[in-house]
Amino acid sequence: MLDDFFTRALVAGLGVAIVAGPLGCFIIWRRLAYFGDTLAHSALLGVALAFLFQINITLSVFLVCALISMLLLALQRRATISADALLGLLSHSALAVGLVCLAFMTWVRVDLMGFLFGDILAVSKADIAIIYGGGALTLVVLCFIWRSLFASTVSYELAEAEGLRPEFANSIFMLLMATVIAISMKIVGVLLITALLIIPAATARRLSGGPEQMAILAAVCGAMAVVGGLFSSLEWDTPTGPSIVVVALLLFILSFGPIKQLKGHLSFAQKESNDG
């Protein structure tokens, strides 16, 4: 029988994976990996502010990530430097400010390694409620803006011409990313959140035949990584957050070989059945 803490970790990890997969697809399509890193690094500043003002950590991380994303949008319109330079500036500055703030708060005992690399085995029932509540809201909103967001990903000008309000969809998408980072920080940590968003989506991209199928497969690949990472961590006593990312990486590597071949065999069998 599995212990209660392991069961909670499994349920929480699956909840994060199901939400992170579809969002990760848009990160892949839009080439926003560095943007995801920026928001993830700024999460540590949210942790520091949560301790300073005695507020909920998840709420604080969400507010800081949302502020950073909106600040980036504003700076992109006015600044004369490139977008990747802005992302680097905001990413490392937010991470450094967060670390300095935590260093000054000597009266607070902080598990820095837990925040940086995750502590999924310490999730509580309240954490699970936050993950599934925030995750459900994220998926509902993503479904609502899916058409506009996907159209603007393909062609911003065409989406604007069709009246799909791509600017509004982009802003909502950034807020959704802030939500996912806030609810998943405890699972894989600040430094590994982007990996959980990107690697399952990259794996699904090699196996899918359309955008909706890719989103579903990304969630499945993320769930497989969580299950595999948790059980491998239990078996070999390895860090849980990094173990999840390593399993996700192994799935990506397998997508070049056995999984890809399996997909080809299934497609051939389906074609033969349809012809028959």
Side-chain angles (χ1 to χ4, degrees):
M1 292 293 292
L2 298 177
D3 292 326
D4 287 343
F5 73 89
F6 191 88
T7 303
R8 290 196 300 269
L10 190 61
V11 172
L14 290 174
V16 169
I18 291 171
V19 180
L23 279 181
C25 294
F26 280 101
I27 293 177
I28 294 289
W29 294 331
R30 291 170 165 245
R31 301 178 182 178
L32 290 176
Y34 201 8
F35 174 72
D37 260 338
T38 300
L39 292 188
H41 288 173
S42 67
L44 197 61
L45 177 58
V47 172
L49 294 178
F51 283 119
L52 183 62
F53 296 106
Q54 296 295 302
I55 60 176
N56 181 269
I57 292 179
T58 302
L59 176 61
S60 179
V61 169
F62 168 75
L63 292 175
V64 170
C65 290
L67 179 62
I68 292 293
S69 62
M70 295 300 109
L71 182 61
L72 176 64
L73 285 177
L75 289 175
Q76 282 180 331
R77 297 190 187 101
R78 300 184 181 182
T80 56
I81 60 176
S82 62
D84 60 337
L86 278 174
L87 288 171
L89 186 153
L90 291 173
S91 173
H92 301 300
S93 298
L95 181 62
V97 171
L99 287 171
V100 169
C101 288
L102 288 174
F104 273 111
M105 287 185 284
T106 56
W107 65 91
V108 177
R109 294 185 63 183
V110 179
D111 179 14
L112 193 57
M113 293 296 291
F115 286 119
L116 291 178
F117 298 103
D119 192 10
I120 187 173
L121 297 179
V123 295
S124 63
K125 292 181 180 179
D127 293 325
I128 293 175
I130 291 173
I131 289 170
Y132 277 84
L137 178 62
T138 298
L139 289 177
V140 168
V141 174
L142 183 62
C143 290
F144 180 74
I145 65 170
W146 178 277
R147 181 166 175 264
S148 176
L149 194 60
F150 185 75
S152 64
T153 301
V154 176
S155 173
Y156 187 92
E157 292 77 13
L158 183 61
E160 198 170 31
E162 292 183 357
L164 294 176
R165 301 174 66 192
E167 188 70 28
F168 174 75
N170 290 344
S171 299
I172 296 299
F173 174 69
M174 290 187 173
L175 293 178
L176 294 182
M177 283 188 61
T179 302
V180 171
I181 288 171
I183 66 176
S184 63
M185 183 182 64
K186 201 165 186 177
I187 307 301
V188 289
V190 168
L191 299 182
L192 300 177
I193 289 174
T194 314
L196 192 60
L197 285 164
I198 293 175
I199 300 178
T203 305
R205 187 174 191 174
R206 297 188 51 79
L207 305 173
S208 59
E212 289 81 8
Q213 186 183 27
M214 178 176 166
I216 295 173
L217 281 177
V220 172
C221 290
M224 291 172 64
V226 168
V227 174
L230 279 169
F231 278 97
S232 63
S233 174
L234 183 66
E235 178 69 23
W236 293 300
D237 194 26
T238 55
T240 311
S243 296
I244 292 172
V245 176
V246 168
V247 173
L249 174 62
L250 290 176
L251 289 174
F252 175 72
I253 294 173
L254 288 173
S255 70
F256 286 87
I259 297 179
K260 191 72 173 179
Q261 293 175 4
L262 177 62
K263 180 196 174 188
H265 292 323
L266 291 175
S267 299
F268 178 77
Q270 184 178 8
K271 182 180 179 182
E272 288 291 314
S273 176
N274 291 337
D275 293 341

